[in-house]
């Protein structure tokens, strides 16, 4: 009887080991090669250049690990994000969305993004030209490229989603290149370690581990997370003294954006570049007998802190008037209406992030639908 018990335990142990090994091999050779991972810096579905510039690759299907989830996305022949349920998108399109990761729809499938919600509700063909960490200089480049590719009707509608982070991007990161914008201060390439190798090559296993850890230790790291999405330098120019955030901090080891600050142009220089680039977009739109709308939305910091230093909403309204855009789609009032409850952040944003969840995207889409007729 003891002999049979030992035999069964050995068989059970070997079975578990072989099963675990099979799962790891499946993850290593099948799941991970098809999955993009933001944390490790592995970004599939992108075309990268030596000067730090990047675009979405054309005609790709990707699954991205974002926090605790994996979401699918795909692109068309021009490298614009489209509905991953469809093999192609209607071209030429009636409307183009210019923007960064929030416009792209980071962390969400197409149908939960404000671009996807708008497309479905309006029955208009759209181009989603949003790419993570783009800003006004890149928006201009994307708009010119869409026109050159014949991807837009004439006339058409342009919605430029001006993100809070655009100010730092224009002040410290993007500068003019010969054919496209280029990075002024590319982040250092991280040194490959055994831990980072396993983390970036066993993405399925890591996602399961994260899910279990989050369930068991839901409060772990909340203090650091709160520091990021409420108090980060990237969204602080509306409520913090510029002299304290512009210089950056060369000794900062964790946050790249805190380290670089707003040098060399400063907050004013970043704002001036946004105005200049949007004026050019507006001029091109007018040449094509088309309308430019400016879309603005808050980061969590703008809902948490009073904008006592700089009025971002007024800046965009004044800019729209000066460059003769059609109007500003201002979602701030609608988002502020939720801050009376203690759980407003959880209602609107992806946990531990500055990006909107499905409901937050619905709020933005509703404002666009109500404004752009």
């Amino acid at each position: 009887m003891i002999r049979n018990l030992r035999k069964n335990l050995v068989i059970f142990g070997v079975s578990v080991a072989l099963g675990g090994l099979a799962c790891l091999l499946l993850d290593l050779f099948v799941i991970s090669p098809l999955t993009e991972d933001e944390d490790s810096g592995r970004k599939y579905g992108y075309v990268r250049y030596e000067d730090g510039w990047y675009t979405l690759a054309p005609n790709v299907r990707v699954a991205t690990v974002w926090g605790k989830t994996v979401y699918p996305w795909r692109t068309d022949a021009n490298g614009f994000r489209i509905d991953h349920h469809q093999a192609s998108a209607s071209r030429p399109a009636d409307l183009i969305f210019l923007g960064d990761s929030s416009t792209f729809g980071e962390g969400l499938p197409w149908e939960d993004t404000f671009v996807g919600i708008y497309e479905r509700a309006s029955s208009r063909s759209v181009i989603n030209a949003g790419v993570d960490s783009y800003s006004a200089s890149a928006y201009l480049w994307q708009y010119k490229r869409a026109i050159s590719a014949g991807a837009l009707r004439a006339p058409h509608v342009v919605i430029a989603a001006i993100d809070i982070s655009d100010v730092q991007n224009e002040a410290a990161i993007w500068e003019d290149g010969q054919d496209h914008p280029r990075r002024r201060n590319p982040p250092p390439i991280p040194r490959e370690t055994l831990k980072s190798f396993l983390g970036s090559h066993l993405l399925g296993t890591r996602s399961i581990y994260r899910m279990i850890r989050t369930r068991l230790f839901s409060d772990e790291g909340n203090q650091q997370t709160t520091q990021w999405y409420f108090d980060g330098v990237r969204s602080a120019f509306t409520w913090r003294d510029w002299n304290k955030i512009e210089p950056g901090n060369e000794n900062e080891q964790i946050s790249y954006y805190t380290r670089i600050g707003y040098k060399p142009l400063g907050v004013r220089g970043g704002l001036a570049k946004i105005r200049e680039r949007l004026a050019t977009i507006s001029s091109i739109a007018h040449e094509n007998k088309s309308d430019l709308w400016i879309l603005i939305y808050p980061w969590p910091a703008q809902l948490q802190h009073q904008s006592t230093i700089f009025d971002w909403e007024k800046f965009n309204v004044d800019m729209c008037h000066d460059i003769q855009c059609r109007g500003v789609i201002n979602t701030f009032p609608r988002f502020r209406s939720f801050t009376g409850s203690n759980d407003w952040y959880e209602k609107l944003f992806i946990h531990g992030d500055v990006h909107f969840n499905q409901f937050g995207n619905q709020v933005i889409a509703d404002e666009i639908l109500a404004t752009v007729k």
Side-chain angles (χ1 to χ4, degrees):
M1 180 176 179
I2 295 178
R3 180 179 298 177
N4 288 336
L5 178 61
R6 289 176 178 173
K7 181 180 178 180
N8 290 335
L9 288 175
V10 170
I11 294 174
F12 175 77
V14 172
S15 300
V16 170
L18 291 176
L21 179 61
C23 290
L24 291 175
L25 292 175
L26 178 66
D27 191 359
L28 181 64
F29 293 107
V30 178
I31 298 175
S32 293
L34 298 175
T35 305
E36 176 186 330
D37 178 40
E38 294 283 348
D39 290 349
S40 69
R42 282 174 34 153
K43 295 176 71 64
Y44 298 118
Y46 286 72
V47 178
R48 297 190 170 276
Y49 299 80
E50 292 182 357
D51 57 6
W53 176 243
Y54 54 88
T55 64
L56 299 184
N59 297 317
V60 296
R61 299 192 68 167
V62 181
T64 297
V65 175
W66 190 261
K68 297 180 292 182
T69 65
V70 178
Y71 72 98
W73 56 273
R74 72 184 302 170
T75 62
D76 65 10
N78 294 306
F80 299 127
R81 185 180 182 183
I82 63 173
D83 186 347
H84 61 278
H85 299 294
Q86 300 178 4
S88 61
S90 177
R91 299 288 184 265
D94 301 311
L95 187 148
I96 183 170
F97 286 90
L98 305 172
D100 66 352
S101 55
S102 291
T103 301
F104 172 84
E106 206 80 85
L108 299 171
W110 176 268
E111 60 270 20
D112 291 341
T113 68
F114 68 78
V115 176
I117 296 169
Y118 174 85
E119 180 190 48
R120 182 175 65 252
S122 68
S123 299
R124 304 178 78 178
S125 56
V126 305
I127 290 175
N128 184 343
V131 180
D132 61 293
S133 295
Y134 270 17
S135 56
S137 293
Y139 306 160
L140 173 59
W141 186 87
Q142 287 280 70
Y143 184 37
K144 288 180 176 179
R145 189 165 70 91
I147 292 176
S148 298
L152 281 167
R153 299 184 190 280
H156 53 261
V157 174
V158 183
I159 297 181
I162 311 302
D163 192 82
I164 297 293
S165 63
D166 284 11
V167 178
Q168 186 182 40
N169 286 347
E170 292 297 326
I173 296 178
W174 295 118
E175 63 181 358
D176 293 333
Q178 183 175 355
D179 301 314
H180 49 68
R182 64 184 183 186
R183 290 189 72 112
R184 180 180 281 110
N185 296 305
I189 300 175
R191 183 172 59 89
E192 182 78 14
T193 63
L194 177 61
K195 180 179 179 180
S196 64
F197 175 84
L198 293 175
S200 62
H201 290 78
L202 294 173
L203 300 181
T205 304
R206 196 185 70 185
S207 296
I208 295 173
Y209 165 73
R210 278 182 169 181
M211 181 179 66
I212 296 174
R213 187 184 67 181
T214 301
R215 294 290 186 271
L216 295 177
F217 307 102
S218 58
D219 294 330
E220 182 180 350
N222 273 0
Q223 186 173 359
Q224 288 185 345
T225 303
T226 302
Q227 179 84 16
W228 150 238
Y229 59 73
F230 282 145
D231 301 329
V233 165
R234 200 150 163 76
S235 60
F237 68 92
T238 65
W239 58 276
R240 284 188 62 186
D241 185 343
W242 292 356
N243 291 324
K244 295 180 180 179
I245 63 173
E246 286 181 324
N249 181 356
E250 295 181 357
N251 297 321
E252 173 66 51
Q253 299 298 317
I254 298 176
S255 172
Y256 166 71
Y257 297 110
T258 301
R259 185 165 64 249
I260 66 173
Y262 287 75
K263 297 180 297 185
L265 301 184
V267 174
R268 284 186 178 85
L271 293 168
K273 275 185 68 181
I274 291 174
R275 185 185 293 268
E276 177 187 337
R277 298 301 190 261
L278 266 292
T280 304
I281 292 174
S282 180
S283 177
I284 295 173
H286 290 158
E287 291 172 2
N288 287 271
K289 297 180 174 57
S290 302
D291 292 327
L292 166 65
W293 293 83
I294 293 176
L295 168 66
I296 57 173
Y297 47 80
W299 275 30
Q302 277 62 53
L303 299 177
Q304 176 78 0
H305 305 285
Q306 292 290 329
S307 295
T308 55
I309 301 297
F310 184 77
D311 192 332
W312 177 246
E313 295 168 77
K314 184 177 185 300
F315 167 79
N316 282 278
V317 171
D318 291 345
M319 174 173 64
C320 179
H321 178 270
D322 294 341
I323 67 176
Q324 299 180 346
C325 88
R326 181 66 183 274
V328 175
I329 308 167
N330 184 0
T331 67
F332 275 70
R334 179 74 191 285
F335 279 112
R336 287 197 189 98
S337 70
F338 294 98
T339 58
S341 62
N342 294 329
D343 61 345
W344 62 264
Y345 174 80
E346 288 73 19
K347 286 182 178 178
L348 300 169
F349 296 91
I350 296 173
H351 179 72
D353 204 337
V354 299
H355 295 96
F356 296 101
N357 57 23
Q358 190 277 336
F359 180 71
N361 275 268
Q362 182 70 59
V363 171
I364 296 175
D366 287 345
E367 291 298 314
I368 299 171
L369 288 162
T371 306
V372 181
K373 304 297 184 180

